[in-house]
Amino acid sequence: MPTNEKEYNGYLFDQLTLLEDIEEVAEKENATDTIKIINKKRKQIERKLYQQPPLKNE
């Protein structure tokens, strides 16, 4: 479990990186259903990452 917002954001960026790698393969294979779910997951992660107001006001 992340101990602070910076660490939590790091985990979210790691998830985005994984999605980018998976998307690269899905595009090569023309896997449209996979690309759709990747885009859905990206939106969910970005919603957490860029939420306003932030999790913790410092």
Side-chain angles (χ1 to χ4, degrees):
M1 187 72 167
T3 58
N4 58 43
E5 186 174 1
K6 184 175 180 180
E7 187 177 355
Y8 182 67
N9 286 346
Y11 290 135
L12 294 175
F13 279 119
D14 289 344
Q15 290 178 3
L16 288 173
T17 300
L18 288 171
L19 286 178
E20 290 169 356
D21 294 345
I22 296 167
E23 184 177 32
E24 185 179 327
V25 174
E27 287 175 352
K28 286 180 185 176
E29 296 178 352
N30 198 24
T32 55
D33 289 339
T34 304
I35 293 171
K36 286 178 188 177
I37 195 71
I38 289 169
N39 289 331
K40 178 182 175 184
K41 291 297 177 187
R42 179 179 289 118
K43 288 177 188 175
Q44 292 171 345
I45 294 167
E46 288 175 347
R47 185 173 58 232
K48 293 175 190 176
L49 186 60
Y50 302 116
Q51 69 180 351
Q52 291 298 330
L55 291 174
K56 180 178 175 184
N57 293 329
E58 297 189 53

